[in-house]
Amino acid sequence: MSADLGARRWWAVGALVLASLVVGFDVTILSLALPVMADDLGANNVELQWFVTSYTLVFAAGMIPAGMLGDRYGRKKVLLGALVVFGAASLACAYATSPGTFIGARAVLGLGAALIMPTTLSLLPVMFSDDERPKAIGAVAGAAMLAYPLGPILGGYLLNHFWWGSVFLINVPVVILAFLAVSAWLPESKSKEAKRFDVGGLVFSSAGLAAMTYGVIQGGEKGWTDVTTLAPLLGGLLVLVVFVLWERRVGDPLVDLSLFRSARFTTGTLLGTVINFTMFGVLFTMPQYYQAILGTDALGSGFRLLPMVGGLLVGVSVAPRLAKAIGPRAAVGIGLALLAAGLFYGATTDTGSGTGLAAAWTAVYGIGLGFALPTVMDAALGALSEDSAGVGSGVNQSIRTLGGSFGAAILGSILNSGYRGRLELDGLPERAQDAAKESVFGGLAVARAATSSSLADSVSAAFVHGLDVVLAVSGGLGLLGVLIAAVWLPRRVGQGAAQNAESEHEAADAA
């Protein structure tokens, strides 16, 4: 198909970039609006948690079925429908008048996002050759990352000037532009032969991923030994085991499990999950650092993430040429080494460090991210056939998203443990101690109420210690990624069928 599209392919990438942006905006903006929404909608803590959870569960559960729909009925049709769903749900979120209405709208918004993401990724292997695909993946990945700082910047401005619903209304013009661009420039593609619906596969995969995701969310809230954490985690894992057994026996499986025999797909997906794990750690901890320790607001936090995005854009622009020159294995290894170096440098932060140190290490991290992420995504997506591009992209995205969720929850627990372990709260009333242990913001509020500069210093030092531990752990994961890439990632990808097969055997022998 790629040979017939010519320059139109790159206009189509612009449409996919817009689709990625609209999902990325929503991921970053809600947290800014939660305090205001709690007052306006009269939401309690449980309802506030479900404001986030309803979206996440549907998003996690829907990606593999969404990929199947694109393969079966046409990826362009599904993407257009997904944009309509996402835009309508954004309007419903903006004008919700009760917590229940908002939770329902957020669930529909998660469905729209689940339809958008795997469909967007599945089009890239279909539209581009092996040589051109890394550039297209870099553009889409760069757009998704660009949404992380732009979301808080736009959201902070809107919250300062308008009501909370405006942060959801900004999705609407982006959705309209994306819809028009997809309609005009994107070619239709789908599987050559329509398989029978694998109803069991749909049910088992969706239920298992939703349960695992809910368990991770509960782990971050209640702790990893709580029954409300262990039950969905173990139950979800059991359902996914049943899913694998079912797929091995059914005639037309939802997921062709032989896909995991490909070193390109499996290692690319695994490395993408490791990268997502570290990325969610950075995006979870650094806004807190900027706001609590450096005293910025949400808008200022967004601006201070721009060095990371600048590094990412540099890395993404260089990554295709680097991978072509030295091979994806070496390019990913260099990227992950830079990523780890930036994180270890960030782990030297103390209470006297300022924006300069943060800007330096996040820029290095961004460059490493730009080198590694598009290249590992290309390795995974390049292993997909045109018939299975949608489901394969859904599998890849589901695993990476679950890894990111684990990253946010586990690294959040590490941050809390490091923070609470260094707090000095002797002499404070029990209620004040409990408030200080909740978060760095609670600790600083207690210090202000007690007019105690020494307590404020203790809270700041304890949080920075927890931050350093999180960044050091994330850096260690980056080094683990270097090892995985060196052992299992094929040396060359996209150099012809014979060489690809040889690379696959090399990786299998190494394993």
Side-chain angles (χ1 to χ4, degrees):
M1 176 180 289
S2 60
D4 301 328
L5 295 175
R8 183 183 170 195
R9 285 169 297 170
W10 297 105
W11 290 101
V13 168
L16 299 180
V17 163
L18 287 171
S20 298
L21 269 176
V22 75
V23 175
F25 280 155
D26 186 80
V27 169
T28 57
I29 278 179
L30 177 64
S31 59
L32 300 178
L34 284 178
V36 182
M37 294 172 66
D39 291 335
D40 285 359
L41 296 179
N44 57 37
N45 287 335
V46 173
E47 288 167 333
L48 287 176
Q49 181 181 351
W50 276 102
F51 284 2
V52 178
T53 304
S54 59
Y55 175 95
T56 306
L57 291 180
V58 177
F59 183 57
M63 281 187 284
I64 294 178
M68 180 273 297
L69 290 174
D71 288 343
R72 184 180 180 90
Y73 295 111
R75 298 171 187 115
K76 179 176 179 177
K77 291 187 183 72
V78 170
L79 185 53
L80 288 172
L83 289 168
V84 171
V85 170
F86 199 91
S90 297
L91 284 170
C93 286
Y95 293 103
T97 55
S98 68
T101 303
F102 185 80
I103 290 169
R106 285 286 293 172
V108 177
L109 200 66
L111 175 62
L115 290 165
I116 288 171
M117 291 309 297
T119 308
T120 297
L121 292 176
S122 69
L123 285 158
L124 299 177
V126 176
M127 291 167 52
F128 291 93
S129 66
D130 289 340
D131 289 337
E132 294 175 319
R133 188 176 57 245
K135 297 178 184 178
I137 290 175
V140 174
M145 281 299 301
L146 189 61
Y148 285 106
L150 284 182
I153 290 171
L154 290 172
Y157 175 82
L158 291 170
L159 287 173
N160 287 340
H161 294 83
F162 305 99
W163 100 111
W164 62 263
S166 62
V167 302
F168 297 99
L169 287 183
I170 67 169
N171 291 338
V172 176
V174 183
V175 163
I176 292 173
L177 286 174
F179 186 92
L180 295 175
V182 169
S183 299
W185 298 323
L186 208 66
E188 183 59 279
S189 66
K190 61 181 179 179
S191 176
K192 291 183 176 65
E193 54 180 272
K195 297 181 180 179
R196 289 187 300 173
F197 274 116
D198 178 10
V199 177
L202 286 170
V203 172
F204 292 137
S205 65
S206 300
L209 288 170
M212 289 283 288
T213 303
Y214 183 73
V216 171
I217 294 169
Q218 289 295 99
E221 294 288 330
K222 302 289 183 64
W224 296 100
T225 58
D226 191 272
V227 66
T228 60
T229 299
L230 293 175
L233 279 177
L234 295 176
L237 183 60
L238 178 61
V239 172
L240 290 178
V241 170
V242 173
F243 167 70
V244 171
L245 296 175
W246 174 272
E247 295 299 277
R248 293 179 64 179
R249 297 176 63 88
V250 72
D252 288 322
L254 176 66
V255 177
D256 183 1
L257 297 179
S258 66
L259 185 63
F260 290 97
R261 296 175 190 164
S262 165
R264 291 171 61 184
F265 180 82
T266 303
T267 310
T269 300
L270 177 60
L271 289 173
T273 304
V274 169
I275 292 169
N276 269 28
F277 198 104
T278 70
M279 187 172 66
F280 273 77
V282 172
L283 294 171
F284 174 74
T285 56
M286 290 311 292
Q288 294 184 67
Y289 170 75
Y290 292 136
Q291 293 179 48
I293 308 303
L294 300 187
T296 68
D297 57 11
L299 187 63
S301 297
F303 279 114
R304 283 167 176 78
L305 287 173
L306 289 178
M308 182 178 75
V309 176
L312 172 76
L313 296 177
V314 170
V316 163
S317 65
V318 175
R321 285 173 287 173
L322 184 68
K324 188 173 182 180
I326 64 176
R329 181 187 294 178
V332 170
I334 292 172
L336 288 169
L338 282 172
L339 179 150
L343 290 166
F344 284 129
Y345 184 28
T348 65
T349 300
D350 59 35
T351 54
S353 303
T355 301
L357 175 65
W361 78 257
T362 54
V364 174
Y365 175 84
I367 293 172
L369 193 64
F371 281 174
L373 185 57
T375 310
V376 300
M377 287 177 64
D378 178 60
L381 297 180
L384 303 176
S385 68
E386 183 172 345
D387 286 348
S388 64
V391 170
S393 298
V395 171
N396 173 270
Q397 189 72 20
S398 295
I399 294 173
R400 287 174 49 222
T401 300
L402 191 59
S405 298
F406 269 105
I410 292 172
L411 295 176
S413 297
I414 292 173
L415 176 65
N416 289 335
S417 177
Y419 166 67
R420 292 168 182 168
R422 288 294 182 97
L423 279 177
E424 297 177 4
L425 302 174
D426 294 339
L428 287 176
E430 184 176 349
R431 180 177 295 181
Q433 291 189 27
D434 291 342
K437 290 177 181 177
E438 279 296 315
S439 69
V440 62
F441 300 103
L444 292 174
V446 171
R448 285 193 297 270
T451 62
S452 173
S453 59
S454 61
L455 178 57
D457 291 342
S458 171
V459 169
S460 297
F463 175 80
V464 170
H465 168 71
L467 168 70
D468 289 345
V469 174
V470 167
L471 296 181
V473 170
S474 299
L477 285 172
L479 292 182
L480 176 63
V482 174
L483 178 63
I484 293 172
V487 174
W488 284 307
L489 193 66
R491 184 177 291 115
R492 293 280 173 184
V493 174
Q495 300 296 321
Q499 290 184 2
N500 278 339
E502 182 180 350
S503 296
E504 298 281 338
H505 289 305
E506 286 178 5
D509 290 342

